[in-house]
Amino acid sequence: MPLANTSQKQAGGFKKGASGNPHGRPAGSRNKATLACEALLDGQAEALTQKAVDMALAGDVVALRLCLDRIYPPRKDRPVAFALPPITSARDAADIMAAVAEAVAAGDITPSEAAEYAKVVDAYVKAYHAAELDDRVARVEHLTDSDLLRIASGGHAPAIVPSRLLRDGR
């Protein structure tokens, strides 16, 4: 065994941050076991499905569960009929979350559903703040130089406006 190869193994294999396969597994490549199973089952899907249905009808509980899970899969979420107060500002978030907490306490919604409501309210508040900031920036960008100088000087217009502060003749 060459000396360089031995020292690389003793040092722990590859250099930190360097992959032995930098391009990774090719896109679309499939596991050999999956390909073998597909080859075995190719053309048998209909017969296997019918056998599962026959076993379920004969009383096999596992086959019945398999068939029912395919016909009517378990729901991850359920629609919740819960009246939220209207959302008209970010300030309403506290009122909304208070209503959600009351609904959890009353047993109308589950704590996990309340957490989902909280995510929705949080997303709304973030969007509201972003829109509000955008509106503020737009208003500032539309101010004239004299308006900006008046604001910067505490409300009264300066007697002389330096020419370097003027733009576009405003």
mmCIF file of all heavy atoms in Angstrom, residues 37 40-55 63 66-67:
data_model
loop_
_atom_site.group_PDB
_atom_site.id
_atom_site.type_symbol
_atom_site.label_atom_id
_atom_site.label_comp_id
_atom_site.label_asym_id
_atom_site.label_seq_id
_atom_site.Cartn_x
_atom_site.Cartn_y
_atom_site.Cartn_z
ATOM 1 N N CYS A 37 -38.188 -5.092 -7.299
ATOM 2 C CA CYS A 37 -39.588 -5.262 -6.888
ATOM 3 C C CYS A 37 -40.532 -4.890 -8.022
ATOM 4 O O CYS A 37 -41.533 -5.579 -8.258
ATOM 5 C CB CYS A 37 -39.888 -4.403 -5.663
ATOM 6 S SG CYS A 37 -39.202 -5.070 -4.143
ATOM 7 N N LEU A 40 -40.672 -7.692 -10.531
ATOM 8 C CA LEU A 40 -41.465 -8.827 -10.060
ATOM 9 C C LEU A 40 -42.960 -8.553 -10.130
ATOM 10 O O LEU A 40 -43.761 -9.433 -10.456
ATOM 11 C CB LEU A 40 -41.094 -9.171 -8.614
ATOM 12 C CG LEU A 40 -39.780 -9.899 -8.405
ATOM 13 C CD1 LEU A 40 -39.464 -9.990 -6.912
ATOM 14 C CD2 LEU A 40 -39.832 -11.287 -9.009
ATOM 15 N N LEU A 41 -43.355 -7.334 -9.792
ATOM 16 C CA LEU A 41 -44.778 -6.996 -9.716
ATOM 17 C C LEU A 41 -45.346 -6.460 -11.029
ATOM 18 O O LEU A 41 -46.554 -6.223 -11.116
ATOM 19 C CB LEU A 41 -45.003 -5.969 -8.608
ATOM 20 C CG LEU A 41 -44.661 -6.437 -7.195
ATOM 21 C CD1 LEU A 41 -44.823 -5.294 -6.214
ATOM 22 C CD2 LEU A 41 -45.517 -7.617 -6.792
ATOM 23 N N ASP A 42 -44.490 -6.282 -12.019
ATOM 24 C CA ASP A 42 -44.934 -5.708 -13.284
ATOM 25 C C ASP A 42 -46.070 -6.548 -13.881
ATOM 26 O O ASP A 42 -45.949 -7.750 -14.063
ATOM 27 C CB ASP A 42 -43.754 -5.633 -14.269
ATOM 28 C CG ASP A 42 -44.095 -4.804 -15.485
ATOM 29 O OD1 ASP A 42 -44.914 -3.867 -15.353
ATOM 30 O OD2 ASP A 42 -43.550 -5.092 -16.573
ATOM 31 N N GLY A 43 -47.193 -5.920 -14.145
ATOM 32 C CA GLY A 43 -48.326 -6.599 -14.749
ATOM 33 C C GLY A 43 -49.215 -7.310 -13.742
ATOM 34 O O GLY A 43 -50.228 -7.887 -14.115
ATOM 35 N N GLN A 44 -48.851 -7.312 -12.473
ATOM 36 C CA GLN A 44 -49.621 -8.020 -11.451
ATOM 37 C C GLN A 44 -50.434 -7.083 -10.557
ATOM 38 O O GLN A 44 -51.104 -7.541 -9.636
ATOM 39 C CB GLN A 44 -48.671 -8.845 -10.568
ATOM 40 C CG GLN A 44 -47.862 -9.869 -11.317
ATOM 41 C CD GLN A 44 -48.752 -10.915 -11.989
ATOM 42 O OE1 GLN A 44 -49.771 -11.316 -11.442
ATOM 43 N NE2 GLN A 44 -48.383 -11.324 -13.199
ATOM 44 N N ALA A 45 -50.371 -5.787 -10.805
ATOM 45 C CA ALA A 45 -51.026 -4.813 -9.934
ATOM 46 C C ALA A 45 -52.525 -5.080 -9.818
ATOM 47 O O ALA A 45 -53.088 -5.052 -8.716
ATOM 48 C CB ALA A 45 -50.773 -3.393 -10.436
ATOM 49 N N GLU A 46 -53.185 -5.363 -10.924
ATOM 50 C CA GLU A 46 -54.629 -5.582 -10.897
ATOM 51 C C GLU A 46 -54.978 -6.841 -10.099
ATOM 52 O O GLU A 46 -55.892 -6.841 -9.265
ATOM 53 C CB GLU A 46 -55.175 -5.686 -12.319
ATOM 54 C CG GLU A 46 -56.688 -5.727 -12.371
ATOM 55 C CD GLU A 46 -57.213 -5.712 -13.799
ATOM 56 O OE1 GLU A 46 -56.547 -5.159 -14.697
ATOM 57 O OE2 GLU A 46 -58.301 -6.274 -13.995
ATOM 58 N N ALA A 47 -54.231 -7.912 -10.308
ATOM 59 C CA ALA A 47 -54.498 -9.167 -9.597
ATOM 60 C C ALA A 47 -54.232 -9.004 -8.100
ATOM 61 O O ALA A 47 -55.004 -9.498 -7.258
ATOM 62 C CB ALA A 47 -53.637 -10.290 -10.166
ATOM 63 N N LEU A 48 -53.160 -8.285 -7.744
ATOM 64 C CA LEU A 48 -52.847 -8.062 -6.334
ATOM 65 C C LEU A 48 -53.904 -7.195 -5.662
ATOM 66 O O LEU A 48 -54.296 -7.454 -4.516
ATOM 67 C CB LEU A 48 -51.464 -7.425 -6.187
ATOM 68 C CG LEU A 48 -50.284 -8.338 -6.502
ATOM 69 C CD1 LEU A 48 -48.995 -7.541 -6.560
ATOM 70 C CD2 LEU A 48 -50.191 -9.443 -5.464
ATOM 71 N N THR A 49 -54.361 -6.199 -6.360
ATOM 72 C CA THR A 49 -55.412 -5.334 -5.822
ATOM 73 C C THR A 49 -56.681 -6.134 -5.589
ATOM 74 O O THR A 49 -57.328 -6.022 -4.541
ATOM 75 C CB THR A 49 -55.685 -4.154 -6.777
ATOM 76 O OG1 THR A 49 -54.465 -3.450 -7.002
ATOM 77 C CG2 THR A 49 -56.714 -3.212 -6.213
ATOM 78 N N GLN A 50 -57.055 -6.955 -6.547
ATOM 79 C CA GLN A 50 -58.256 -7.772 -6.401
ATOM 80 C C GLN A 50 -58.120 -8.752 -5.237
ATOM 81 O O GLN A 50 -59.063 -8.965 -4.479
ATOM 82 C CB GLN A 50 -58.547 -8.531 -7.707
ATOM 83 C CG GLN A 50 -59.868 -9.273 -7.686
ATOM 84 C CD GLN A 50 -61.051 -8.335 -7.452
ATOM 85 O OE1 GLN A 50 -61.207 -7.329 -8.132
ATOM 86 N NE2 GLN A 50 -61.880 -8.662 -6.471
ATOM 87 N N LYS A 51 -56.928 -9.330 -5.064
ATOM 88 C CA LYS A 51 -56.692 -10.261 -3.959
ATOM 89 C C LYS A 51 -56.836 -9.542 -2.619
ATOM 90 O O LYS A 51 -57.440 -10.081 -1.681
ATOM 91 C CB LYS A 51 -55.295 -10.884 -4.081
ATOM 92 C CG LYS A 51 -54.940 -11.850 -3.000
ATOM 93 C CD LYS A 51 -55.791 -13.094 -3.072
ATOM 94 C CE LYS A 51 -55.326 -14.103 -2.039
ATOM 95 N NZ LYS A 51 -56.169 -15.272 -1.968
ATOM 96 N N ALA A 52 -56.295 -8.297 -2.520
ATOM 97 C CA ALA A 52 -56.421 -7.518 -1.282
ATOM 98 C C ALA A 52 -57.884 -7.226 -0.982
ATOM 99 O O ALA A 52 -58.330 -7.330 0.165
ATOM 100 C CB ALA A 52 -55.621 -6.227 -1.381
ATOM 101 N N VAL A 53 -58.660 -6.893 -2.003
ATOM 102 C CA VAL A 53 -60.090 -6.630 -1.820
ATOM 103 C C VAL A 53 -60.809 -7.899 -1.388
ATOM 104 O O VAL A 53 -61.636 -7.874 -0.461
ATOM 105 C CB VAL A 53 -60.697 -6.043 -3.112
ATOM 106 C CG1 VAL A 53 -62.208 -5.975 -3.025
ATOM 107 C CG2 VAL A 53 -60.121 -4.656 -3.393
ATOM 108 N N ASP A 54 -60.497 -9.027 -2.018
ATOM 109 C CA ASP A 54 -61.121 -10.302 -1.654
ATOM 110 C C ASP A 54 -60.807 -10.666 -0.199
ATOM 111 O O ASP A 54 -61.689 -11.109 0.543
ATOM 112 C CB ASP A 54 -60.651 -11.426 -2.580
ATOM 113 C CG ASP A 54 -61.174 -11.253 -4.004
ATOM 114 O OD1 ASP A 54 -62.147 -10.494 -4.196
ATOM 115 O OD2 ASP A 54 -60.587 -11.883 -4.916
ATOM 116 N N MET A 55 -59.543 -10.470 0.218
ATOM 117 C CA MET A 55 -59.156 -10.777 1.597
ATOM 118 C C MET A 55 -59.871 -9.849 2.580
ATOM 119 O O MET A 55 -60.314 -10.291 3.656
ATOM 120 C CB MET A 55 -57.637 -10.653 1.758
ATOM 121 C CG MET A 55 -56.859 -11.761 1.055
ATOM 122 S SD MET A 55 -55.073 -11.487 1.077
ATOM 123 C CE MET A 55 -54.716 -11.641 2.814
ATOM 124 N N ALA A 63 -55.891 -6.417 5.574
ATOM 125 C CA ALA A 63 -56.252 -6.131 4.184
ATOM 126 C C ALA A 63 -57.360 -5.085 4.132
ATOM 127 O O ALA A 63 -57.359 -4.199 3.268
ATOM 128 C CB ALA A 63 -56.686 -7.401 3.465
ATOM 129 N N LEU A 66 -55.794 -1.734 4.773
ATOM 130 C CA LEU A 66 -55.056 -1.335 3.576
ATOM 131 C C LEU A 66 -56.004 -0.765 2.526
ATOM 132 O O LEU A 66 -55.753 0.298 1.958
ATOM 133 C CB LEU A 66 -54.282 -2.524 3.009
ATOM 134 C CG LEU A 66 -53.529 -2.260 1.712
ATOM 135 C CD1 LEU A 66 -52.225 -1.544 2.007
ATOM 136 C CD2 LEU A 66 -53.278 -3.550 0.976
ATOM 137 N N CYS A 67 -57.107 -1.478 2.287
ATOM 138 C CA CYS A 67 -58.073 -1.021 1.273
ATOM 139 C C CYS A 67 -58.725 0.291 1.687
ATOM 140 O O CYS A 67 -58.870 1.214 0.878
ATOM 141 C CB CYS A 67 -59.130 -2.090 1.022
ATOM 142 S SG CYS A 67 -58.478 -3.558 0.202
#
